[in-house]
Amino acid sequence: MKLWGGRYDVDTDALMHKLNASIRFDQRLWREDVQGSRAWAQGLHRAGLLTDEELAALLEGLAQIEAEWEAGTFALHPDDEDIHTAHERRLHELVGAVAGKLHTGRSRNDQVATDVRLYVRRQLDQLDAEIRTVQAALLAQAEQHIDLLMPGYTHLQQAQPIRYSHWVLSFFWMLQRDRERLRDARSRVNVLPLGSGALAGHSLGVDRTFLAEQLGFEAVSPNSLDAVSDRDFIVEVLAAAALLGVHLSRLAEDLIIYATREFGFVRLDPRYTTGSSLMPQKANPDALELARGKSGRLIGNLTTLLVVLKGLPSTYNKDLQEDKEPLFDTLDTLHDLLPVMAGVIETMQPQPERMRAALDDAMLATDLADYLVRQGVPFRQAHHLVGRAVAEAEARGVPLRALPREVYARIHPALDADLSVVFDVERAVDAKQAIGSTGRDAVQVQIENARRALQAT
Ligand code: ARG
């Protein structure tokens, strides 16, 4: 019999049951559903609605259900619609009629909202630790290769020389903001909906502050209508996760390019590449391609939920059951992806000779302009003059540093000088000492700050 079957004299259509049932995916909420039920039973007891014996029986039954899940022996029944009905059915089998008292004043609407919040709260803590592991791998690369220089790009065209560490750390800070966003979302996740009933609250005197304490929630939802239908806490998590996915995808894209034979800036560990069934020479960067590809589903999951929510009338509607699959998929995807990304980063080997060989003199054109600026030439004019030197060098097929001095002298008298200091890549990079720049000292400060950010809880 369905737990809501009182007014019905026919069975649900079998295909309708299949469509309606969420047990297939919400059974993973078993732990939180037991947790919530335990708190509610205690709340009912304190309100005088359960005797000591009844409370003891319910708690014993719930403990048994928990033990069955832990042992992998909890048996689902074909009629179980969702995790809440499955538990109520099993509780009946275990403790008899008193099981019917547990749902007093409670609705699956406030129950499911409570379960999902408890679940997301736990998941966020795991996610934070996983992102940290990726950050730690990035930081280790930055520390180990502090003196390594490489070309920096804009428009994927060589722009200015930078430190490899500086490039690596740029992703550290993106992930740091992702962690901050998830942590910020956590404070809005950590609010108790239980006690909101189906939509209007309850009249049975169960103390919601007590429930919040029992379940470790920081606040009690202020409006029952909102509490049973609010899924913005999930939207926030999916949005932060989608953005995290975008950051991982961008890192993956850089690395895919840098790992090509043409660039050869990094070598990926064979544990994270795969071969081709046809071409024996291949080592494909599949881990990174999947990081790039999976960002698509993370974005899709956010979009799915936003579209489900838009246009819903107040308050609970069954559409809301569609919140779970995108949420679970996003969390599962990240739990799979983040440790692999950490592994890819930990084991990748930058290739100094290839980076060095790619450092073309043209990337020092800006430094040459800066040199003129220090000689009193307005920057706009300096830019123009150096542009002429670049064109001249290109026409002659030589690097900038190899243009004869008289050519430079003809372009501007201030260039009639020993320009070798300008064409010193190390010096050019290390001169960038403003906060957040690529100079050695500035990157060292960045590394210190990154260490501190990782240590902070
Ligand atoms: N499985 C449902 C969900 O995930 C539980 C809530 C059902 N509530 C209801 N009034 N039918 O949303």
Side-chain angles (χ1 to χ4, degrees):
M1 196 193 72
K2 291 257 189 285
L3 70 100
W4 39 258
R7 60 153 292 181
Y8 283 85
D9 54 12
V10 295
D11 286 341
T12 311
D13 176 82
L15 293 175
M16 163 59 189
H17 174 74
K18 182 163 179 280
L19 176 69
N20 193 42
S22 54
I23 188 71
R24 179 172 55 78
F25 49 84
D26 68 15
Q27 55 180 282
R28 67 163 78 194
L29 298 173
W30 65 264
R31 190 179 276 111
E32 288 73 22
D33 198 66
V34 169
Q35 207 183 341
S37 287
R38 216 176 251 144
W40 186 246
Q42 273 152 351
L44 288 173
H45 175 251
R46 277 170 54 110
L49 295 162
L50 291 177
T51 65
D52 293 353
E53 297 72 41
E54 287 171 329
L55 174 66
L58 287 175
L59 293 180
E60 206 170 297
L62 290 168
Q64 174 66 23
I65 287 173
E66 196 170 51
E68 288 177 5
W69 279 109
E70 263 155 15
T73 57
F74 188 94
L76 290 172
H77 186 276
D79 286 345
D80 290 342
E81 184 181 315
D82 53 27
I83 189 63
H84 326 295
T85 56
H87 280 175
E88 188 164 342
R89 188 256 315 150
R90 184 66 186 135
L91 200 56
H92 251 282
E93 292 166 2
L94 290 168
V95 304
V98 65
K101 291 201 167 186
L102 179 58
H103 216 52
T104 310
R106 185 174 71 164
S107 157
R108 278 183 295 160
N109 299 352
D110 58 347
Q111 188 177 357
V112 72
T114 304
D115 290 5
V116 175
R117 283 173 183 271
L118 288 170
Y119 180 79
V120 171
R121 190 177 73 186
R122 183 158 64 83
Q123 290 281 315
L124 285 182
D125 295 340
Q126 187 184 337
L127 211 50
D128 185 77
E130 288 163 349
I131 302 171
R132 250 172 213 260
T133 319
V134 179
Q135 286 183 294
L138 290 165
L139 179 56
Q141 284 282 338
E143 288 169 333
Q144 283 157 26
H145 304 283
I146 179 79
D147 285 318
L148 186 54
L149 304 185
M150 67 183 280
Y153 295 85
T154 62
H155 312 264
L156 204 52
Q157 302 283 323
Q158 292 200 344
Q160 290 187 307
I162 57 170
R163 302 200 106 69
Y164 170 74
S165 303
H166 195 51
W167 167 75
V168 165
L169 287 171
S170 68
F171 291 97
F172 179 99
W173 298 115
M174 293 179 216
L175 298 187
Q176 182 64 17
R177 293 192 296 278
D178 292 327
R179 278 207 301 133
E180 285 166 13
R181 266 183 283 271
L182 287 166
R183 194 171 311 173
D184 183 56
R186 193 185 190 280
S187 64
R188 282 176 297 281
V189 170
N190 207 14
V191 176
L192 173 92
L194 197 59
S196 297
L199 76 161
H202 75 273
S203 54
L204 297 166
V206 177
D207 178 2
R208 297 190 66 211
T209 309
F210 167 78
L211 295 175
E213 278 162 18
Q214 288 295 298
L215 295 169
F217 283 114
E218 280 160 21
V220 174
S221 63
N223 180 305
S224 61
L225 306 178
D226 180 31
V228 296
S229 60
D230 162 28
R231 297 293 181 274
D232 32 331
F233 73 98
I234 305 180
V235 170
E236 286 190 58
V237 170
L238 293 186
L243 192 42
L244 167 62
V246 167
H247 290 152
L248 295 174
S249 176
R250 292 188 58 202
L251 170 59
E253 172 66 2
D254 267 5
L255 283 172
I256 289 167
I257 293 171
Y258 293 168
T260 56
R261 193 181 173 94
E262 287 76 3
F263 273 76
F265 289 177
V266 291
R267 200 171 286 155
L268 301 174
D269 190 280
R271 277 169 287 183
Y272 299 104
T273 61
T274 65
S276 155
S277 56
L278 188 143
M279 300 165 282
Q281 84 284 11
K282 295 277 267 177
N284 296 323
D286 293 36
L288 296 167
E289 291 168 85
L290 286 168
R292 194 175 54 190
K294 284 185 187 297
S295 65
R297 64 199 284 164
L298 298 178
I299 295 165
N301 289 336
L302 169 63
T303 308
T304 298
L305 184 58
L306 286 170
V307 177
V308 166
L309 296 180
K310 105 167 250 312
L312 281 189
S314 294
T315 56
Y316 181 85
N317 298 268
K318 196 59 171 268
D319 315 43
L320 290 173
Q321 182 165 284
E322 291 294 310
D323 62 352
K324 285 171 208 62
E325 284 163 292
L327 170 65
F328 297 159
D329 183 71
T330 281
L331 294 170
D332 292 349
T333 298
L334 287 173
H335 293 323
D336 285 346
L337 180 59
L338 289 163
V340 173
M341 279 305 270
V344 170
I345 296 160
E346 264 158 35
T347 57
M348 69 186 185
Q349 293 173 348
Q351 303 294 306
E353 321 74 48
R354 294 300 302 262
M355 290 181 180
R356 165 65 60 176
L359 287 169
D360 193 89
D361 269 9
M363 272 186 286
L364 296 171
T366 316
D367 298 84
L368 190 55
D370 289 348
Y371 172 85
L372 280 173
V373 165
R374 281 192 295 272
Q375 309 298 314
V377 181
F379 179 76
R380 204 34 70 207
Q381 192 193 345
H383 183 284
H384 189 78
L385 295 169
V386 175
R388 278 173 53 197
V390 169
E392 190 66 39
E394 260 176 32
R396 293 169 182 239
V398 298
L400 266 186
R401 73 181 72 203
L403 265 190
R405 185 155 173 172
E406 34 324 339
V407 175
Y408 276 122
R410 237 182 292 127
I411 293 174
H412 194 276
L415 291 174
D416 188 4
D418 177 10
L419 297 174
S420 59
V421 294
V422 177
F423 294 119
D424 180 340
V425 181
E426 247 95 41
R427 197 208 52 83
V429 172
D430 284 337
K432 301 206 166 50
Q433 292 300 0
I435 296 169
S437 296
T438 199
R440 196 178 200 283
D441 295 345
V443 170
Q444 205 64 66
V445 170
Q446 224 185 120
I447 287 176
E448 288 306 320
N449 289 335
R451 272 194 206 123
R452 223 164 296 135
L454 263 195
Q455 275 153 19
T457 44

